[in-house]
Amino acid sequence: MDRVSSFDEPLKKLLGGATAKVMAEHLDLQTVGDLLHHYPRRYEERGRLTALADLPLDEHVTVVAQVADARILMFNNGRGKRLEVTLTDGSGRLQLVFFGHGVHKPHKELLPGRQAMFAGKVSVFNRKMQLAHPTYQLLDASDANEATEAVDAFAGRLLPIYPACKQLDSWRIAKAVDAVLPSAQDAVDPLPAALREGRGFTPLPEALLKVHRPQTKADIEDARARLKWDEAFVLQVALARRRYADTQLPAVARRPVEGGLLDAFDAKLPFTLTEGQQKVSGEIFDDLATEHPMHRLLQGEVGSGKTMVALRAMLTVVDAGGQAAMLAPTEVLAQQHHRSITEMMGELAEGGMLGGSDHGTKVVLLTGSMGMAARRQALLDLVTGEAGIVIGTHALIEDKVQFHDLGLVVVDEQHRFGVEQRDALRSKGKQPPHLLVMTATPIPRTVAMTVFGDLETSILDQLPAGRSPIASHVVPAQDKPHFLARAWERVREEVENGHQAYVVCPRIGDEAEEDGKGAKKARAKKAAADEDPEKRPPLAVLEVADGLRKGALAGLSVEVLHGRMHPDEKDDVMRRFAAGDVDVLVATTVIEVGVNVPNATAMVIMDADRFGVSQLHQLRGRVGRGSAPGLCLLVSEAHEASPARARLSAVAATLDGFELSRIDLEQRREGDVLGQAQSGVRSSLRMLTVIDDEEVIAAAREEAVAIVAADPELEHLPELRTVLAALLDKEREEYLDKG
């Protein structure tokens, strides 16, 4: 076959239309390069047979085994035929079954003593493991020449097992790889020669040959080390170039002003800032004082005082003549930030108003549901510069919103806004504004370097003085119902001691009544749930609140809070809860971020196993915010031995968010963590795993930063430029722009 000169060659040219179509549709492999980067998941050792004793149920497997016996059985009064083949490998036995017209070929070929490779989905029939209609490939042939070739092809080899699909088995993929393997010689090597030699890496064409057709286990190690490094390095170069490009943009330097708003604010603080807050504020002030835009990620545990750090940055910008905008993901949060910031600032937030401070500025709120008059006034305050600080939702990005001089944008809770939104906000400043992204979800260092790699990172890991410890316990409602009864007693005790409590549920409830069609669905669900408690829908706010008012918490003031309520109604409930007029708030995760009620000391999370680890940690951070210790009870019906219970026990065992985020990542693996927004990264990471390869990512980042600093346009590294261009197709470019 002629050697194909390019990785961009479409697969259908080499493999024929049918195979290429299956590869494109089911494995997303379009070109020769795609197939060469479709690496084996593992390797079978010829001679060491896969243990039939350890087959996983319901999974597609590939086994190498020997036929022990084969027999044809008739059924349906002789009208139906079934071929049953028993395989053995010394560790166990496995049955194969073929039906109907499909029995003839295997009946001729699968004779006792023959050895073959089989692939199919493991199921159970009559308490025995079986593969129904597996595809197979004989490993020995009757013709002497063929036998020699078969032995040459398989003996002593490590057989690559590829990520496959129902329509295309691993060894068919292996055959297709054989057809394109000569093209590996044309691989464009992204690593600068000095770096490759300095780190002792195998050249790329050789690494591709070794990963697909290893002679030894050392070949596999060599190839993996090289290919992992490439993925980490190319991605880090892309991020380093974006950071570099940002440093080339102009911005107005915003330096602290002596005797200004910030000094007045600091002077009236009733407490001293933690060492961490001072250090991080210093990093932010340094960035703000430069003439290119700050791009910083501020990570901090719930309650570590991120809002305080962000507010001091905003005040610095106002002192320097600019305006600051804070973007929150929901209206509830925007209203809350507005309330807590105006409370913290006191008369300093009433600039130009009667009784306001001479130093003061106006702090305005801007959300989609505001009345026309209030909205018009807020827009006017922004365009005249009367308002130094604005807090709002995405409504801030709309065309109508004009600023007098936007100097800083603070984005709360890492809902990464896309390139269009960043550009829209940038265009509102005379020059690009500085950017601070805050998150209360602790992100392991490797994920921060990969997903937020275009932002510099600051971490707040101390809790302010006066924050109390939170005790967390799992309440196994199914196994020990009396534990749940005790949980409600504990809530009652907290309320009797003058405190308040949250009860969190995964669902709002009442969906059936919203639409006529829903009622039927709800009844069907309920019937299914009665038969199998595992299938019941998650507990709902409205039902739980109703049950508590009539039962375990009768006599207490119990209110609900959820996302379907009118904003004014939500605001009213939150205000009354904050004022201490409500004993127990039954809510969805709308309380997850930003809600600050120091008097709330207890939280009961219903169906806790239906929430993620980070989410549980966030929710728990709502209690213990005052001087009294906090209590968090994780109620679950999950079985004691289930992964869901293991997750809950991990949350109960530690208050360290970074430790929990690592556990979370290990349990969920890359896909969910990088999420849909980062699908570009996911599709470019085939060998690298963000959680396990921390050292590789850190080293690649270091090299990438040095290379981009020396040669931002990569003029002297044309190969690296070519590979980057291939990585940054439309989707990935967009991902990188979401920082």
Side-chain angles (χ1 to χ4, degrees), residues 352-415:
M353 291 150 83
L354 204 60
S357 156
D358 299 343
H359 286 303
T361 185
K362 252 190 188 179
V363 178
V364 301
L365 176 70
L366 191 63
T367 63
S369 66
M370 278 168 78
M372 267 323 284
R375 190 180 168 77
R376 200 173 291 130
Q377 184 58 51
L379 290 171
L380 188 66
D381 288 341
L382 284 179
V383 76
T384 58
E386 195 76 5
I389 294 176
V390 57
I391 295 153
T393 54
H394 274 177
L396 280 179
I397 297 172
E398 287 168 18
D399 294 346
K400 290 194 273 298
V401 181
Q402 297 296 322
F403 289 85
H404 176 65
D405 179 12
L406 179 60
L408 170 67
V409 176
V410 178
V411 181
D412 187 25
E413 264 326 296
Q414 128 211 17
H415 57 308

Side-chain angles (χ1 to χ4, degrees), residues 223-278:
R224 281 179 179 267
R226 168 67 216 253
L227 297 167
K228 262 183 192 180
W229 177 273
D230 280 15
E231 287 177 8
F233 176 70
V234 172
L235 187 59
Q236 290 302 335
V237 168
L239 293 164
R241 288 189 73 194
R242 179 154 304 283
R243 286 195 303 274
Y244 179 84
D246 285 339
T247 66
Q248 301 309 297
L249 289 169
V252 179
R254 311 282 178 175
R255 296 183 181 87
V257 171
E258 224 169 291
L261 195 51
L262 178 64
D263 285 354
F265 175 75
D266 282 350
K268 66 191 276 300
L269 276 182
F271 51 81
T272 52
L273 297 173
T274 65
E275 220 176 291
Q277 285 175 315
Q278 288 173 345

Side-chain angles (χ1 to χ4, degrees), residues 248-517:
Q248 301 309 297
L249 289 169
V252 179
R254 311 282 178 175
R255 296 183 181 87
V257 171
E258 224 169 291
L261 195 51
L262 178 64
D263 285 354
F265 175 75
D266 282 350
K268 66 191 276 300
L269 276 182
F271 51 81
T272 52
L273 297 173
T274 65
E275 220 176 291
Q277 285 175 315
Q278 288 173 345
K279 177 178 155 279
V280 169
S281 286
E283 291 170 349
I284 292 171
F285 292 159
D286 288 349
D287 282 0
L288 289 174
T290 59
E291 292 184 349
H292 56 78
M294 161 171 84
H295 284 106
R296 190 165 281 280
L297 172 69
L298 173 56
Q299 281 183 255
E301 285 285 9
V302 172
S304 58
K306 289 184 304 298
T307 310
M308 172 63 68
V309 168
L311 176 56
R312 294 183 74 241
M314 294 199 282
L315 296 176
T316 302
V317 169
V318 175
D319 275 343
Q323 291 168 296
M326 182 184 246
L327 222 74
T330 64
E331 294 211 352
V332 168
L333 254 178
Q335 288 162 348
Q336 211 161 336
H337 277 313
H338 181 253
R339 194 164 39 239
S340 65
I341 282 173
T342 46
E343 277 166 15
M344 281 197 266
M345 287 176 65
E347 76 280 5
L348 296 174
E350 296 164 358
M353 291 150 83
L354 204 60
S357 156
D358 299 343
H359 286 303
T361 185
K362 252 190 188 179
V363 178
V364 301
L365 176 70
L366 191 63
T367 63
S369 66
M370 278 168 78
M372 267 323 284
R375 190 180 168 77
R376 200 173 291 130
Q377 184 58 51
L379 290 171
L380 188 66
D381 288 341
L382 284 179
V383 76
T384 58
E386 195 76 5
I389 294 176
V390 57
I391 295 153
T393 54
H394 274 177
L396 280 179
I397 297 172
E398 287 168 18
D399 294 346
K400 290 194 273 298
V401 181
Q402 297 296 322
F403 289 85
H404 176 65
D405 179 12
L406 179 60
L408 170 67
V409 176
V410 178
V411 181
D412 187 25
E413 264 326 296
Q414 128 211 17
H415 57 308
R416 299 164 62 80
F417 52 88
V419 60
E420 318 77 44
Q421 289 147 316
R422 190 193 271 192
D423 285 349
L425 261 175
R426 270 191 179 155
S427 64
K428 293 187 183 297
K430 295 184 174 126
Q431 289 191 325
H434 298 280
L435 174 71
L436 180 65
V437 179
M438 300 197 297
T439 172
T441 309
I443 305 164
R445 180 164 165 255
T446 43
V447 179
M449 285 191 294
T450 309
V451 179
F452 295 95
D454 52 346
L455 299 173
E456 301 298 336
T457 304
S458 292
I459 293 177
L460 273 178
D461 48 13
Q462 283 170 293
L463 288 187
R467 287 300 300 264
S468 305
I470 304 169
S472 306
H473 304 283
V474 179
V475 178
Q478 188 89 342
D479 318 341
K480 301 181 178 165
H482 59 285
F483 276 36
L484 184 57
R486 176 71 189 117
W488 299 125
E489 278 172 29
R490 282 293 287 113
V491 168
R492 207 175 255 288
E493 286 163 18
E494 289 298 313
V495 172
E496 280 163 9
N497 289 333
H499 298 301
Q500 293 157 279
Y502 297 100
V503 177
V504 182
C505 305
R507 204 166 56 94
I508 297 173
D510 211 11
E511 286 88 349
E513 287 169 31
E514 275 179 41
D515 59 351
K517 292 177 290 194

Side-chain angles (χ1 to χ4, degrees), residues 119-199:
K121 192 174 179 184
V122 183
S123 57
V124 168
F125 181 69
N126 276 345
R127 294 181 154 174
K128 281 187 187 161
M129 292 271 206
Q130 70 166 27
L131 298 184
H133 276 286
T135 44
Y136 62 90
Q137 180 176 331
L138 296 174
L139 294 186
D140 47 358
S142 45
D143 180 299
N145 291 336
E146 268 186 44
T148 315
E149 278 174 29
V151 170
D152 285 349
F154 290 102
R157 283 282 173 88
L158 290 154
L159 306 182
I161 305 298
Y162 288 91
C165 61
K166 195 173 155 193
Q167 296 77 3
L168 205 61
D169 303 308
S170 170
W171 52 80
R172 293 211 181 117
I173 296 171
K175 275 191 165 150
V177 170
D178 283 336
V180 301
L181 211 47
S183 302
Q185 296 309 319
D186 298 330
V188 176
D189 196 328
L191 295 194
L195 190 156
R196 189 179 68 236
E197 285 151 24
R199 290 188 174 264

Side-chain angles (χ1 to χ4, degrees), residues 473-592:
H473 304 283
V474 179
V475 178
Q478 188 89 342
D479 318 341
K480 301 181 178 165
H482 59 285
F483 276 36
L484 184 57
R486 176 71 189 117
W488 299 125
E489 278 172 29
R490 282 293 287 113
V491 168
R492 207 175 255 288
E493 286 163 18
E494 289 298 313
V495 172
E496 280 163 9
N497 289 333
H499 298 301
Q500 293 157 279
Y502 297 100
V503 177
V504 182
C505 305
R507 204 166 56 94
I508 297 173
D510 211 11
E511 286 88 349
E513 287 169 31
E514 275 179 41
D515 59 351
K517 292 177 290 194
K520 200 170 175 185
K521 257 190 207 159
R523 281 196 299 275
K525 264 190 184 167
K526 187 177 181 318
D530 290 343
E531 283 175 40
D532 179 1
E534 291 282 297
K535 289 207 176 97
R536 72 164 172 75
L539 290 170
V541 167
L542 301 176
E543 292 146 27
V544 168
D546 202 37
L548 290 175
R549 285 188 194 112
K550 292 173 183 161
L553 301 182
L556 301 186
S557 141
V558 177
E559 292 272 3
V560 301
L561 181 72
H562 57 75
R564 280 210 308 265
M565 288 161 66
H566 186 276
D568 293 347
E569 211 183 334
K570 278 192 270 203
D571 218 29
D572 177 54
V573 170
M574 266 325 296
R575 230 180 259 280
R576 287 187 294 118
F577 186 63
D581 301 339
V582 173
D583 298 324
V584 179
L585 187 63
V586 184
T588 54
T589 53
V590 291
I591 62 150
E592 180 180 347

